[in-house]
């Protein structure tokens, strides 16, 4: 009994230290968001002498966060819709159809997920420039879709494999066609996996910088992460304003994750054990 309590206490201590290590940078950023630049330089770990709310006001206006966060949301939502609509169908087919060279297909998916996007950046840019697609959020969403679809297909395939085929057979006996079986029977069952894919891809798209800064150069189409980098000066920077802007950008995705964390954890656990 004593050993069990001791091991439980050690587990709690380790988990608390891990949580502190994970949340430490976020808490430090929040603390410094209320300070002036001299205060941050002198003592970044100290409590602010006065809560400087003007950092948030200046960050919101100077970085045009209202407009740029809306642009980020548009690109993120379009990417999630594209990935889920194409990835779910492809994953269902790969899970149900017997494909002999599946190992080759799997290796291809793994290779595409590990290949750096920098390899394709120049040909993509020249192609987009020829087609007049620079500063086109829809075109950027298709690039993100190509980047994240292999991951989505690999994860969703494990969910479809775990579903008994008897459910499909029963739906067919009731008169459902192939599309009705997929949309009315299969998709509701794999909804935790769809939510997991949506959250992960949404997080990546919201924070992505390289593609967004390359293809969305106009101020009217600029994303929040790109506008955030413009706050840094060439010789000096207002670190209080920068920290406040970072908190504003992080807050929506953080709130979304906290609201859906139970479903996200269930989806990740299901995807790692099924299939």
């Amino acid at each position: 009994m004593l050993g069990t309590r001791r091991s439980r206490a050690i587990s709690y201590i380790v988990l608390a230290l891990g949580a502190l290590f994970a949340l430490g940078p976020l808490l430090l950023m929040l603390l410094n968001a209320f300070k002036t630049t001299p205060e941050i330089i002198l003592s970044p770990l100290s409590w602010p002498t006065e809560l400087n709310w003007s950092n948030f006001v200046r960050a919101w206006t100077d970085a045009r966060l209202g407009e740029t966060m809306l642009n980020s949301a548009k690109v993120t939502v379009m990417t999630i819709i594209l990935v889920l609509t194409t990835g779910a169908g492809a994953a269902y087919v790969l899970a149900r159809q017997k494909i002999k060279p599946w190992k080759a297909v799997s290796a291809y998916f793994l290779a595409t997920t590990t290949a750096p996007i920098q390899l394709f950046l120049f040909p993509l840019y020249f192609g987009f420039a020829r087609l007049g697609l620079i500063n086109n959020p829809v075109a950027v969403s298709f690039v993100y879709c190509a980047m994240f679809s292999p991951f989505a297909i690999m994860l969703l395939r494990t969910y479809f494999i775990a579903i008994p085929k008897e459910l499909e057979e029963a739906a067919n006996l009731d008169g459902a066609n192939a599309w009705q079986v997929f949309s009315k029977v299969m998709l509701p069952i794999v909804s935790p996996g769809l939510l997991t894919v949506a959250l992960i891809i949404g997080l990546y798209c919201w924070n992505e910088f390289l593609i967004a800064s390359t293809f969305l150069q106009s101020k009217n189409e600029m994303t929040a992460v790109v506008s955030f980098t413009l706050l840094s000066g060439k010789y000096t920077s207002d670190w209080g304003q920068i920290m406040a802007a970072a908190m504003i950008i992080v807050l929506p995705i953080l709130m979304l994750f906290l609201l859906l964390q139970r479903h996200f954890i269930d989806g990740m656990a299901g995807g790692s054990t099924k299939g």
Side-chain angles (χ1 to χ4, degrees):
M1 188 70 177
L2 182 60
T4 302
R5 291 181 179 177
R6 183 176 300 175
S7 62
R8 184 178 299 175
I10 293 174
S11 300
Y12 287 154
I13 293 173
V14 171
L15 291 174
L17 292 175
L20 181 62
F21 179 79
L23 296 176
L26 185 62
L27 295 175
L28 186 62
M29 183 170 63
L30 177 61
L31 183 67
N32 289 313
F34 293 99
K35 295 181 183 179
T36 61
T37 299
E39 285 183 300
I40 296 174
I41 295 175
L42 289 175
S43 181
L45 297 177
S46 64
W47 191 263
T49 56
E50 183 180 356
L51 296 180
N52 193 359
W53 292 97
S54 63
N55 288 338
F56 292 89
V57 177
R58 290 187 293 108
W60 182 268
T61 55
D62 292 350
R64 301 169 41 252
L65 291 180
E67 181 180 351
T68 56
M69 288 175 68
L70 181 60
N71 294 336
S72 295
K74 290 179 181 177
V75 174
T76 300
V77 171
M78 284 190 292
T79 303
I80 291 174
I81 293 174
L82 285 172
V83 172
L84 291 184
T85 51
T86 58
Y92 176 63
V93 172
L94 292 174
R96 284 295 182 254
Q97 301 295 327
K98 293 183 179 180
I99 301 176
K100 293 183 179 179
W102 166 245
K103 291 184 178 180
V105 175
S106 178
Y108 170 76
F109 283 150
L110 291 175
T112 53
T113 55
T114 56
I117 188 60
Q118 289 84 351
L119 293 175
F120 316 102
L121 197 60
F122 285 107
L124 275 175
Y125 183 83
F126 290 129
F128 275 37
R130 286 285 187 89
L131 297 173
L133 296 177
I134 302 297
N135 297 318
N136 189 323
V138 178
V140 173
S141 298
F142 275 96
V143 176
Y144 287 151
C145 179
M147 291 171 55
F148 303 128
S149 287
F151 159 77
I153 293 172
M154 293 287 288
L155 181 61
L156 292 175
R157 178 178 175 272
T158 62
Y159 283 89
F160 285 116
I161 289 177
I163 300 175
K165 293 184 178 181
E166 288 76 11
L167 290 176
E168 297 174 81
E169 295 172 357
N172 289 328
L173 290 176
D174 289 338
N177 56 35
W179 170 250
Q180 290 173 332
V181 171
F182 173 69
S183 60
K184 303 295 185 181
V185 178
M186 306 300 285
L187 286 183
I189 296 176
V190 300
S191 57
L194 297 174
L195 179 60
T196 301
V197 170
L199 283 175
I200 294 175
I201 292 175
L203 179 62
Y204 278 123
C205 291
W206 186 267
N207 294 324
E208 203 281 328
F209 174 78
L210 182 60
I211 300 297
S213 61
T214 303
F215 296 104
L216 298 176
Q217 302 173 357
S218 171
K219 288 185 177 181
N220 294 329
E221 303 297 342
M222 189 178 296
T223 60
V225 174
V226 178
S227 67
F228 169 75
T229 61
L230 300 179
L231 293 177
S232 299
K234 186 175 182 180
Y235 300 106
T236 60
S237 299
D238 189 338
W239 291 109
Q241 182 188 29
I242 291 174
M243 295 296 174
M247 284 302 306
I248 295 174
I249 294 173
V250 168
L251 188 60
I253 202 72
L254 181 62
M255 293 178 61
L256 183 64
F257 179 80
L258 291 176
L259 289 173
L260 302 176
Q261 62 175 333
R262 183 182 299 275
H263 302 285
F264 174 75
I265 294 172
D266 292 342
M268 287 298 294
S272 64
T273 56
K274 295 178 182 179

